[in-house]
């Protein structure tokens, strides 16, 4: 019974994290579209996934899972590319903004895949 509850909780968390990242991506696209000067975004350590990933309890529980070990790099890149896209947009460097958006999307897919593997383990 506790395993079922744990799996349901982790699944709900996974869905919440996916929504958080979708909202962050939409924020980036919206700010670029309206040429908003606000470049503030959450970082890979301040978002819900980052806080979960960095917690001692999580590390103890998942440290031996390969997928968990691999999440940090694409997750950090996701946030870095989002920031780069906004910064490029500020100076109307659309080529670099588009490249950063593409990289952000690729990193997002990697994070989703890896987190999905963690939740299935």
């Amino acid at each position: 019974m506790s395993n079922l509850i744990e799996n349901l909780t982790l699944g709900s968390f996974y869905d919440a994290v996916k929504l958080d990242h979708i909202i962050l991506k939409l924020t980036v696209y919206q700010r670029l579209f309206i040429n908003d000067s606000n470049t503030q975004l959450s970082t890979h350590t301040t978002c819900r996934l980052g806080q979960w990933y960095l917690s001692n309890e999580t590390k103890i529980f998942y440290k031996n899972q390969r997928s968990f070990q691999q999440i940090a790099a694409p997750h950090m890149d996701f946030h870095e590319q989002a920031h780069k896209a906004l910064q490029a947009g500020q100076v109307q460097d659309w080529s670099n903004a588009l490249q950063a958006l593409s990289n952000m999307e690729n990193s997002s897919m990697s994070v989703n895949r890896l987190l999905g593997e963690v939740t299935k383990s």
Side-chain angles (χ1 to χ4, degrees), residues 10 13 48-55 58 62 68 115 118:
L10 189 57
F13 173 77
R48 187 186 328 230
L49 177 58
Q51 291 176 355
W52 173 79
Y53 182 87
L54 294 172
S55 78
T58 302
Y62 294 104
F68 176 78
L115 192 55
V118 169

Side-chain angles (χ1 to χ4, degrees), residues 94-110:
W94 303 117
S95 177
N96 280 327
L98 288 172
Q99 184 60 54
L101 290 172
S102 177
N103 293 341
M104 177 187 73
E105 292 291 351
N106 289 334
S107 293
S108 178
M109 287 188 287
S110 294

Side-chain angles (χ1 to χ4, degrees), residues 38-99:
N38 183 357
T39 60
Q40 297 297 312
L41 295 170
S42 63
T43 68
H44 70 284
T45 60
T46 61
C47 74
R48 187 186 328 230
L49 177 58
Q51 291 176 355
W52 173 79
Y53 182 87
L54 294 172
S55 78
N56 288 331
E57 182 179 317
T58 302
K59 287 179 182 179
I60 290 168
F61 195 77
Y62 294 104
K63 68 181 177 186
N64 294 322
Q65 284 191 14
R66 183 180 166 134
S67 298
F68 176 78
Q69 296 166 358
Q70 295 175 334
I71 289 174
H75 182 238
M76 182 172 28
D77 190 58
F78 169 77
H79 285 272
E80 287 177 357
Q81 296 301 324
H83 282 98
K84 283 182 182 179
L86 289 179
Q87 290 165 354
Q90 290 301 301
V91 295
Q92 298 184 353
D93 181 355
W94 303 117
S95 177
N96 280 327
L98 288 172
Q99 184 60 54

